[in-house]
Amino acid sequence: MAFKKLIRSKKIPLLFAAFALFGTNGLMAQSTGGTALDGSTTAQPVMWGNIAYYVLLFVVVCFCVAVLGKILKVYDLTLKMQGKRGFNWNNVMGICCLIFLLAGMYGAYWSLTVQGSMKLPEPASAHGAAIDDMFDLTTVLTLIVFVITQVLLFGFAFVYRGSAKRKAYYYPHNNTIEKIWTVIPAIVLTMLVVFGFFTWEKVMNTTPEKGDINIDITGHQFQWELRYPGPDGKLGSLNYTLSSPLNILGIDYKDPNSYDDLKADTMVLPVNKVIRLNIHAQDVIHSVYMPHFRVQLNAVPGLPTFFKFTPTITTARMRQITDNPNFEYLVYCNKICGGGHYNMQKVVRVVTQEEYQDWIAKQKPYLTDKLRAELKMPLPAASTPAAKTTVAGQPSSNSLALNN
C-alpha cells in the first residue's frame, strides 16, 4: 500500500522534472577539455562532470539503504513471530557508526592525498607565501580538530552503545567541560583572526609608493579590458556615461592625463615591481582572479577597487619550474557572470624590466584618430594631410608647404 501511495504521489513527477532540469543544465555545461593552472590542456570526461549523475547516485544509494532497512525490519519481525530473539539494533547502529568512521577517515585521507595535490601552484608574488602560510595553518588546525571530534563522536557511539547490562548515566551539566570547550576554541580562533588581520593589512597596504605601475582592468561580458599609463605615468579619469563602441572604457578626455593612455591585449608586468590593479566592472559583478599571484578581488559596477602586488617569478622562469614551454600566467573571472564566463580570461606575462620597457614602447594609445573624430578633437599633426610625406621624406604634391 505504501509503495502504491508513493507511485501515485505528486512527488514523482516533480522529482522527474528536477532530474530533467539537472540533466539539461549538465548537458549544456559539459566540457571535453580545460586549461590547468600550469597552462596545460586537460581532458575531462563528459559524464562524470554532470551534476545530475551525482544527484541520481545519491538518491539511488539512499533508496538502497532504505530498502535494506525495510528488509532487516521484516526479518526482525519474522524472528519475533517465531518466538526467536530479534536483532540487537543497538549493536547494528554501533557497528554502522564504526563503519562510517572508518570509511569517513579513509575518504578524508584520500581527499588529502589525491585532491590535495591539486592545491594552488607555487606563489609568484611577494605576498603569496604569507597567504599560503595562513591557509596551511588554518588547514592543519581544523584537520586536528576534525580527527579528534569524529573519533570521539563515532567511537563513543560504538563503545557505549545501548546494552541490557548497563544503564546510561544522566549527566546534565559540567562547568569545567563547558569552560574547556569554550575557552580553547576561542583562543585558537582569536589567534587565527589576529594572524589573518595582520597578514591582510600587509597585503592590502594602500600607501602609494614611487615607481608603482598603475594598470586599469575592466570587466564586462565577457572580456577583460586593459589600460596602461603613457609616458606621463598617470592614468586619465573614467566616466561610464562616455562609453561608446570606440571608447569602451568611457575615458574622459577632458583630463589631459588620458591623452597618452595605452591599450593592451596582454597584461605584461615587470618582475619585482609593485603593480596596482585598478579594478572596474561595467555590467555585472566580475572577479579578478590570478591564482599564481594569490590575487582575487571582486569587480563591482560603480565601486572601483584596487589590489597591489609584486610579481617575483618571470614567465620564462616559471616555464622552467613547471617544465612546460607553453606555460602562461592567466587572469580569470571568478564569478559566474553569464554564459561566456568560462572563456573570460587574459594572458599575464611577467618579464624583465628591459623587456617591459621594450613592450610598453610598442603599445598603441586608446585615443585613435577615429575616436578623435567622434569626440570632435583636432587630429595630431602627424595624422593631418599637411603632414603626409613621400617615401623620400619630402612633402607630397598635395601637401601644404609651410615656411618659417
Side-chain angles (χ1 to χ4, degrees):
M1 292 296 295
F3 191 70
K4 290 182 179 179
K5 185 177 180 181
L6 177 64
I7 294 177
R8 294 174 181 175
S9 173
K10 295 181 180 179
K11 295 179 181 179
I12 296 299
L14 291 176
L15 185 63
F16 177 79
F19 276 122
L21 179 61
F22 279 129
T24 302
N25 290 339
L27 180 64
M28 297 299 292
Q30 286 173 1
S31 174
T32 56
T35 303
L37 291 177
D38 61 357
S40 60
T41 301
T42 58
Q44 298 175 353
V46 173
M47 179 180 178
W48 295 99
N50 192 336
I51 186 174
Y53 173 82
Y54 294 104
V55 173
L56 180 61
L57 181 62
F58 176 76
V59 172
V60 169
V61 170
C62 292
F63 184 77
C64 291
V65 171
V67 170
L68 180 60
K70 287 292 185 182
I71 292 175
L72 292 176
K73 185 66 175 178
V74 170
Y75 183 62
D76 181 44
L77 292 174
T78 303
L79 291 176
K80 291 180 179 180
M81 291 174 62
Q82 294 175 355
K84 299 180 181 179
R85 186 177 179 181
F87 279 127
N88 187 332
W89 288 101
N90 290 322
N91 286 340
V92 172
M93 294 304 298
I95 293 173
C96 287
C97 287
L98 183 62
I99 293 174
F100 190 85
L101 173 63
L102 296 177
M105 286 299 171
Y106 174 77
Y109 170 77
W110 177 86
S111 179
L112 288 172
T113 54
V114 177
Q115 296 180 330
S117 62
M118 305 175 190
K119 64 181 182 179
L120 290 173
E122 178 180 355
S125 63
H127 73 273
I131 295 291
D132 285 0
D133 289 343
M134 187 169 62
F135 179 84
D136 292 341
L137 177 61
T138 304
T139 301
V140 170
L141 290 177
T142 53
L143 181 62
I144 293 173
V145 173
F146 167 77
V147 172
I148 293 175
T149 54
Q150 299 309 302
V151 169
L152 291 177
L153 176 63
F154 293 102
F156 270 56
F158 172 73
V159 174
Y160 299 104
R161 61 191 181 274
S163 171
K165 298 179 180 180
R166 63 172 178 264
K167 183 179 180 181
Y169 177 70
Y170 182 64
Y171 197 68
H173 184 73
N174 185 295
N175 287 332
T176 302
I177 295 177
E178 292 282 352
K179 292 175 182 178
I180 291 174
W181 68 35
T182 301
V183 173
I184 292 179
I187 293 174
V188 173
L189 289 175
T190 301
M191 292 174 59
L192 290 176
V193 169
V194 172
F195 176 49
F197 173 77
F198 285 112
T199 302
W200 186 246
E201 281 289 304
K202 184 178 179 180
V203 171
M204 298 302 292
N205 175 27
T206 59
T207 305
E209 301 176 15
K210 187 177 180 180
D212 290 2
I213 298 177
N214 274 295
I215 303 173
D216 267 8
I217 180 167
T218 303
H220 60 82
Q221 295 173 313
F222 298 98
Q223 191 173 342
W224 294 111
E225 300 288 343
L226 300 174
R227 182 172 64 128
Y228 279 72
D232 64 357
K234 298 179 180 179
L235 288 169
S237 303
L238 295 178
N239 186 342
Y240 74 95
T241 61
L242 301 176
S243 300
S244 70
L246 294 177
N247 187 10
I248 297 175
L249 299 181
I251 301 175
D252 187 356
Y253 287 101
K254 293 180 181 179
D255 182 354
N257 293 326
S258 302
Y259 294 161
D260 61 352
D261 289 351
L262 305 174
K263 183 177 183 179
D265 292 327
T266 301
M267 185 186 296
V268 177
L269 309 174
V271 68
N272 296 324
K273 293 291 184 180
V274 179
I275 309 298
R276 174 179 164 128
L277 282 182
N278 304 299
I279 301 171
H280 307 270
Q282 293 184 320
D283 38 36
V284 299
I285 297 178
H286 301 279
S287 183
V288 174
Y289 179 47
M290 304 164 69
H292 287 86
F293 304 105
R294 306 302 190 264
V295 172
Q296 179 175 336
L297 201 64
N298 284 351
V300 183
L303 185 64
T305 54
F306 68 90
F307 198 110
K308 291 178 66 173
F309 69 102
T310 304
T312 57
I313 303 177
T314 64
T315 298
R317 175 58 183 154
M318 189 59 81
R319 287 174 178 174
Q320 295 175 353
I321 294 173
T322 59
D323 194 25
N324 178 10
N326 299 319
F327 171 85
E328 293 285 6
Y329 294 117
L330 293 171
V331 54
Y332 303 90
C333 175
N334 209 25
K335 281 283 187 287
I336 301 179
C337 56
H341 158 76
Y342 71 96
N343 199 35
M344 191 171 170
Q345 56 185 256
K346 192 172 284 289
V347 172
V348 180
R349 193 162 292 147
V350 181
V351 297
T352 64
Q353 181 65 26
E354 294 75 16
E355 291 173 325
Y356 174 75
Q357 293 296 342
D358 181 65
W359 173 83
I360 201 72
K362 297 176 182 177
Q363 303 312 301
K364 297 180 179 180
Y366 255 101
L367 187 56
T368 61
D369 290 347
K370 289 184 179 180
L371 182 54
R372 283 179 177 271
E374 180 182 278
L375 299 176
K376 298 180 181 180
M377 298 174 61
L379 296 176
S383 300
T384 59
K388 293 183 179 179
T389 59
T390 61
V391 176
Q394 299 297 324
S396 64
S397 58
N398 295 327
S399 64
L400 177 64
L402 299 177
N403 295 322
N404 295 327

